PDB file of all heavy atoms in Angstrom:
ATOM      1  N   THR M 270      53.720 -58.355   7.078  1.00 80.00           N
ATOM      2  CA  THR M 270      52.692 -57.550   7.768  1.00 80.00           C
ATOM      3  C   THR M 270      51.891 -56.697   6.755  1.00 80.00           C
ATOM      4  O   THR M 270      50.641 -56.626   6.803  1.00 80.00           O
ATOM      5  CB  THR M 270      53.324 -56.632   8.773  1.00 80.00           C
ATOM      6  OG1 THR M 270      54.035 -57.496   9.715  1.00 80.00           O
ATOM      7  CG2 THR M 270      52.300 -55.880   9.544  1.00 80.00           C
ATOM      8  N   ILE M 271      52.607 -56.068   5.811  1.00 77.00           N
ATOM      9  CA  ILE M 271      51.939 -55.301   4.819  1.00 77.00           C
ATOM     10  C   ILE M 271      51.007 -56.078   3.950  1.00 77.00           C
ATOM     11  O   ILE M 271      49.910 -55.675   3.571  1.00 77.00           O
ATOM     12  CB  ILE M 271      52.992 -54.463   3.972  1.00 77.00           C
ATOM     13  CG1 ILE M 271      53.704 -53.419   4.893  1.00 77.00           C
ATOM     14  CG2 ILE M 271      52.343 -53.765   2.871  1.00 77.00           C
ATOM     15  CD1 ILE M 271      54.886 -52.742   4.187  1.00 77.00           C
ATOM     16  N   GLU M 272      51.498 -57.328   3.569  1.00 78.00           N
ATOM     17  CA  GLU M 272      50.707 -58.129   2.753  1.00 78.00           C
ATOM     18  C   GLU M 272      49.377 -58.535   3.470  1.00 78.00           C
ATOM     19  O   GLU M 272      48.349 -58.622   2.931  1.00 78.00           O
ATOM     20  CB  GLU M 272      51.478 -59.365   2.341  1.00 78.00           C
ATOM     21  CG  GLU M 272      52.537 -59.073   1.285  1.00 78.00           C
ATOM     22  CD  GLU M 272      53.306 -60.376   0.982  1.00 78.00           C
ATOM     23  OE1 GLU M 272      53.164 -61.335   1.805  1.00 78.00           O
ATOM     24  OE2 GLU M 272      54.012 -60.373  -0.061  1.00 78.00           O
ATOM     25  N   GLU M 273      49.489 -58.817   4.759  1.00 80.00           N
ATOM     26  CA  GLU M 273      48.310 -59.108   5.596  1.00 80.00           C
ATOM     27  C   GLU M 273      47.369 -57.961   5.642  1.00 80.00           C
ATOM     28  O   GLU M 273      46.183 -58.081   5.464  1.00 80.00           O
ATOM     29  CB  GLU M 273      48.763 -59.531   7.032  1.00 80.00           C
ATOM     30  CG  GLU M 273      49.479 -60.896   7.040  1.00 80.00           C
ATOM     31  CD  GLU M 273      49.997 -61.251   8.406  1.00 80.00           C
ATOM     32  OE1 GLU M 273      49.797 -60.388   9.341  1.00 80.00           O
ATOM     33  OE2 GLU M 273      50.438 -62.297   8.607  1.00 80.00           O
ATOM     34  N   GLU M 274      47.969 -56.722   5.865  1.00 78.00           N
ATOM     35  CA  GLU M 274      47.067 -55.506   5.875  1.00 78.00           C
ATOM     36  C   GLU M 274      46.432 -55.330   4.531  1.00 78.00           C
ATOM     37  O   GLU M 274      45.277 -54.928   4.417  1.00 78.00           O
ATOM     38  CB  GLU M 274      47.920 -54.339   6.260  1.00 78.00           C
ATOM     39  CG  GLU M 274      48.394 -54.373   7.715  1.00 78.00           C
ATOM     40  CD  GLU M 274      49.197 -53.129   8.017  1.00 78.00           C
ATOM     41  OE1 GLU M 274      49.453 -52.385   7.137  1.00 78.00           O
ATOM     42  OE2 GLU M 274      49.556 -52.962   9.222  1.00 78.00           O
ATOM     43  N   THR M 275      47.139 -55.584   3.459  1.00 77.00           N
ATOM     44  CA  THR M 275      46.676 -55.418   2.106  1.00 77.00           C
ATOM     45  C   THR M 275      45.459 -56.388   1.847  1.00 77.00           C
ATOM     46  O   THR M 275      44.461 -55.997   1.313  1.00 77.00           O
ATOM     47  CB  THR M 275      47.743 -55.566   1.069  1.00 77.00           C
ATOM     48  OG1 THR M 275      48.753 -54.662   1.275  1.00 77.00           O
ATOM     49  CG2 THR M 275      47.175 -55.328  -0.406  1.00 77.00           C
ATOM     50  N   THR M 276      45.735 -57.615   2.233  1.00 80.00           N
ATOM     51  CA  THR M 276      44.617 -58.567   2.084  1.00 80.00           C
ATOM     52  C   THR M 276      43.427 -58.217   2.881  1.00 80.00           C
ATOM     53  O   THR M 276      42.308 -58.300   2.430  1.00 80.00           O
ATOM     54  CB  THR M 276      45.154 -59.956   2.627  1.00 80.00           C
ATOM     55  OG1 THR M 276      46.347 -60.351   1.941  1.00 80.00           O
ATOM     56  CG2 THR M 276      44.087 -61.035   2.394  1.00 80.00           C
ATOM     57  N   LYS M 277      43.638 -57.729   4.103  1.00 79.00           N
ATOM     58  CA  LYS M 277      42.506 -57.218   4.851  1.00 79.00           C
ATOM     59  C   LYS M 277      41.725 -56.088   4.243  1.00 79.00           C
ATOM     60  O   LYS M 277      40.496 -56.026   4.183  1.00 79.00           O
ATOM     61  CB  LYS M 277      42.967 -56.814   6.260  1.00 79.00           C
ATOM     62  CG  LYS M 277      41.928 -56.400   7.260  1.00 79.00           C
ATOM     63  CD  LYS M 277      42.462 -56.073   8.611  1.00 79.00           C
ATOM     64  CE  LYS M 277      41.356 -55.678   9.596  1.00 79.00           C
ATOM     65  NZ  LYS M 277      41.876 -55.315  10.883  1.00 79.00           N
ATOM     66  N   LEU M 278      42.494 -55.166   3.695  1.00 77.00           N
ATOM     67  CA  LEU M 278      41.908 -53.951   2.989  1.00 77.00           C
ATOM     68  C   LEU M 278      41.107 -54.463   1.769  1.00 77.00           C
ATOM     69  O   LEU M 278      40.073 -53.959   1.461  1.00 77.00           O
ATOM     70  CB  LEU M 278      43.028 -53.001   2.563  1.00 77.00           C
ATOM     71  CG  LEU M 278      43.636 -52.157   3.711  1.00 77.00           C
ATOM     72  CD1 LEU M 278      44.736 -51.299   3.165  1.00 77.00           C
ATOM     73  CD2 LEU M 278      42.530 -51.242   4.300  1.00 77.00           C
ATOM     74  N   ARG M 279      41.736 -55.364   1.022  1.00 77.00           N
ATOM     75  CA  ARG M 279      41.018 -55.915  -0.149  1.00 77.00           C
ATOM     76  C   ARG M 279      39.681 -56.596   0.286  1.00 77.00           C
ATOM     77  O   ARG M 279      38.718 -56.425  -0.537  1.00 77.00           O
ATOM     78  CB  ARG M 279      41.919 -56.918  -0.892  1.00 77.00           C
ATOM     79  CG  ARG M 279      43.070 -56.180  -1.653  1.00 77.00           C
ATOM     80  CD  ARG M 279      43.674 -57.146  -2.612  1.00 77.00           C
ATOM     81  NE  ARG M 279      44.717 -56.460  -3.435  1.00 77.00           N
ATOM     82  CZ  ARG M 279      45.961 -56.760  -3.459  1.00 77.00           C
ATOM     83  NH1 ARG M 279      46.382 -57.899  -2.672  1.00 77.00           N
ATOM     84  NH2 ARG M 279      46.852 -56.156  -4.158  1.00 77.00           N
ATOM     85  N   THR M 280      39.726 -57.331   1.340  1.00 80.00           N
ATOM     86  CA  THR M 280      38.534 -58.013   1.849  1.00 80.00           C
ATOM     87  C   THR M 280      37.486 -56.929   2.243  1.00 80.00           C
ATOM     88  O   THR M 280      36.322 -57.024   1.915  1.00 80.00           O
ATOM     89  CB  THR M 280      38.841 -58.884   3.037  1.00 80.00           C
ATOM     90  OG1 THR M 280      39.852 -59.819   2.710  1.00 80.00           O
ATOM     91  CG2 THR M 280      37.576 -59.638   3.552  1.00 80.00           C
ATOM     92  N   GLU M 281      37.892 -55.903   2.981  1.00 77.00           N
ATOM     93  CA  GLU M 281      37.062 -54.792   3.282  1.00 77.00           C
ATOM     94  C   GLU M 281      36.500 -54.137   2.105  1.00 77.00           C
ATOM     95  O   GLU M 281      35.309 -53.769   2.034  1.00 77.00           O
ATOM     96  CB  GLU M 281      37.732 -53.755   4.206  1.00 77.00           C
ATOM     97  CG  GLU M 281      38.085 -54.332   5.566  1.00 77.00           C
ATOM     98  CD  GLU M 281      38.887 -53.339   6.464  1.00 77.00           C
ATOM     99  OE1 GLU M 281      39.021 -52.200   5.953  1.00 77.00           O
ATOM    100  OE2 GLU M 281      39.134 -53.677   7.568  1.00 77.00           O
ATOM    101  N   LYS M 282      37.347 -53.928   1.066  1.00 73.00           N
ATOM    102  CA  LYS M 282      36.917 -53.280  -0.183  1.00 73.00           C
ATOM    103  C   LYS M 282      35.841 -54.092  -0.801  1.00 73.00           C
ATOM    104  O   LYS M 282      34.818 -53.563  -1.309  1.00 73.00           O
ATOM    105  CB  LYS M 282      38.088 -53.057  -1.082  1.00 73.00           C
ATOM    106  CG  LYS M 282      37.751 -52.322  -2.381  1.00 73.00           C
ATOM    107  CD  LYS M 282      38.842 -52.308  -3.381  1.00 73.00           C
ATOM    108  CE  LYS M 282      39.045 -53.765  -3.936  1.00 73.00           C
ATOM    109  NZ  LYS M 282      39.987 -53.766  -5.064  1.00 73.00           N
ATOM    110  N   GLU M 283      36.078 -55.456  -0.939  1.00 77.00           N
ATOM    111  CA  GLU M 283      35.067 -56.332  -1.534  1.00 77.00           C
ATOM    112  C   GLU M 283      33.722 -56.230  -0.788  1.00 77.00           C
ATOM    113  O   GLU M 283      32.655 -56.213  -1.408  1.00 77.00           O
ATOM    114  CB  GLU M 283      35.597 -57.750  -1.629  1.00 77.00           C
ATOM    115  CG  GLU M 283      36.728 -57.907  -2.598  1.00 77.00           C
ATOM    116  CD  GLU M 283      37.318 -59.275  -2.516  1.00 77.00           C
ATOM    117  OE1 GLU M 283      36.906 -60.049  -1.701  1.00 77.00           O
ATOM    118  OE2 GLU M 283      38.348 -59.543  -3.293  1.00 77.00           O
TER     119      GLU M 283
END
Side-chain angles (χ1 to χ4, degrees):
T270 303
I271 293 172
E272 286 178 346
E273 291 176 354
E274 292 178 357
T275 303
T276 303
K277 184 178 179 180
L278 286 174
R279 286 195 177 118
T280 304
E281 292 179 0
K282 182 189 72 173
E283 293 174 356

